[in-house]
Amino acid sequence: GDAAMVIMAVDVDPPEILAHMPALCDERNVPYIYVPSKAELGNAIGLEKPTASIAITDVGRGKALCDEIAAAVKSLKN
């Protein structure tokens, strides 16, 4: 419930690792998106290791961008 957005990698193997996340995000009204690569996701947050998913809990100065992405995701679902 503390997350502003969840980002998950598509290339997670086995996919069951993240299979529960969309339902959990929907239940808690947290927008979620997928990115193609867990390696790129890890690099984007400053890790040298691939990362299956991240939760943004403090959007800080990126609030406007996070809100824009959340609105776009919501419009795609409808």
Side-chain angles (χ1 to χ4, degrees):
D2 293 335
M5 181 174 294
V6 172
I7 304 170
M8 297 174 278
V10 172
D11 64 346
V12 173
D13 188 40
E16 291 80 11
I17 292 171
L18 296 177
H20 68 288
M21 291 298 291
L24 186 60
C25 288
D26 287 341
E27 179 182 300
R28 296 182 182 206
N29 201 28
V30 174
Y32 62 92
I33 60 172
Y34 288 94
V35 295
S37 166
K38 59 187 178 184
E40 289 180 27
L41 182 57
N43 285 337
I45 62 168
L47 296 177
E48 295 179 14
K49 300 275 185 181
T51 303
S53 68
I54 63 168
I56 300 173
T57 57
D58 182 4
V59 294
R61 294 178 290 169
K63 180 162 177 29
L65 182 57
C66 191
D67 290 345
E68 181 181 336
I69 293 169
V73 168
K74 186 175 182 176
S75 72
L76 289 172
K77 285 185 170 184
N78 293 331

